[in-house]
Amino acid sequence: MKVDVYKRPDADGLFSYLVLPHQRAMPEEVTNTDWVIHERNVDFERDGKRHFTLQAEDAFLQIGEKGYAITHLSDRAGDGAA
């Protein structure tokens, strides 16, 4: 699946990631935060790996449920970690 990846700073130098299917508009419920584009047109696969701090299966489940996937609080990473 091709996706666009957004990133935002959180507290303590940690970052969260938002993954949307490529070229899909950002959902209204997440537009009120400081998301900036991190990468566009990225291959995001169900390969068991972690992508941008997101577990692949969890991300695909979130995308199926709400149209996007977002980092869980416990999975945030420091800058450069993802």
Side-chain angles (χ1 to χ4, degrees), residues 4-62:
D4 295 329
V5 181
Y6 295 82
K7 179 178 173 179
R8 75 167 180 211
D10 290 332
D12 301 323
L14 298 176
F15 290 83
S16 292
Y17 292 87
L18 173 77
V19 175
L20 291 170
H22 182 56
Q23 296 184 330
R24 185 172 292 175
M26 189 174 286
E28 189 175 311
E29 65 265 24
V30 296
T31 58
N32 63 341
T33 57
D34 299 330
W35 295 107
V36 294
I37 192 69
H38 180 64
E39 290 188 45
R40 290 196 190 275
N41 202 24
V42 176
D43 286 320
F44 197 98
E45 302 299 329
R46 275 191 161 106
D47 54 10
K49 295 180 184 175
R50 199 176 266 273
H51 301 277
F52 307 102
T53 75
L54 294 158
Q55 292 289 347
E57 283 302 316
D58 179 46
F60 275 92
L61 181 64
Q62 287 188 57

